[in-house]
Amino acid sequence: MHISDTMHETNEWMQMKTQNRKFCFLKNFKMKLYEHASEGIPEHITAACGTSVKTIHVLREALRFMKDKILQIVYDAEVDVVNKIQASDVMWVVTVPGMWHESAKNTMRQAAEEAGMGIHNNLLLALEPEAASLAVRAEYKERGQLKEGSKYIIVDCGGGTVDFACHEIHNNCIRETHPACGGPWGSTYIDMEFEKFMVTLFKRCN
């Protein structure tokens, strides 16, 4: 199974396909999950070749790849360390969209555990708007730009979705002033519309 969202990986997939190797290519699969965010993650998603693949397997392998990549980077940096860091030594924090249903979050947790991240209760799921808000608070508090009563809006413009979160500093904590919201307005849709425009343009030229 080959999982990717980039043009480079798409080209690599095409080369694999010509070599008659058995792969399922999944492009922009994150948005397929978003389409059912309010209900829960669908049990299967369809690959580019039309093959139906279990969603839990896709999530598991994507998380496993990221986990192994992160550990490899740490290994390469630990030149003088005798005892290499293990997956069980890390507190893994997996962020999920704030609008996801509880069943969708549970599926993501299951996938992370199967990927080897959930050993010894060292796995934490965090909502993306809240994680971003904590990062903003830490950065701007050091600059003296956030204080008691400060209000701010987090706008997360991703490839698939754009999410909003409205927070306020209250009693040295973060308080939500408006429920998190958003929609499928990310840059992927700009790409899709551009492709449609180019197709229409060249059809006219012909």
Side-chain angles (χ1 to χ4, degrees), residues 66-85:
M66 289 187 283
K67 180 206 70 177
D68 293 344
K69 195 71 173 178
I70 291 169
L71 289 177
Q72 188 59 54
I73 293 172
V74 174
Y75 294 158
D76 294 342
E78 291 183 325
V79 179
D80 300 322
V81 177
V82 177
N83 298 317
K84 294 291 186 180
I85 188 171

Side-chain angles (χ1 to χ4, degrees), residues 2 8 15 24 29 34 38 43 45-48 112 119 156 163 173-174 190-191 198:
H2 191 69
H8 170 75
Q15 293 175 4
C24 288
F29 65 90
Y34 176 83
S38 61
E43 187 175 351
I45 55 178
T46 305
I119 305 172
D156 179 8
D163 299 307
C173 296
I174 296 175
I190 298 176
D191 296 340
M198 295 301 291

Side-chain angles (χ1 to χ4, degrees), residues 2-17:
H2 191 69
I3 304 170
S4 174
D5 277 330
T6 67
M7 181 62 71
H8 170 75
E9 294 292 341
T10 301
N11 293 335
E12 183 178 322
W13 150 250
M14 293 305 295
Q15 293 175 4
M16 291 177 178
K17 189 176 181 181

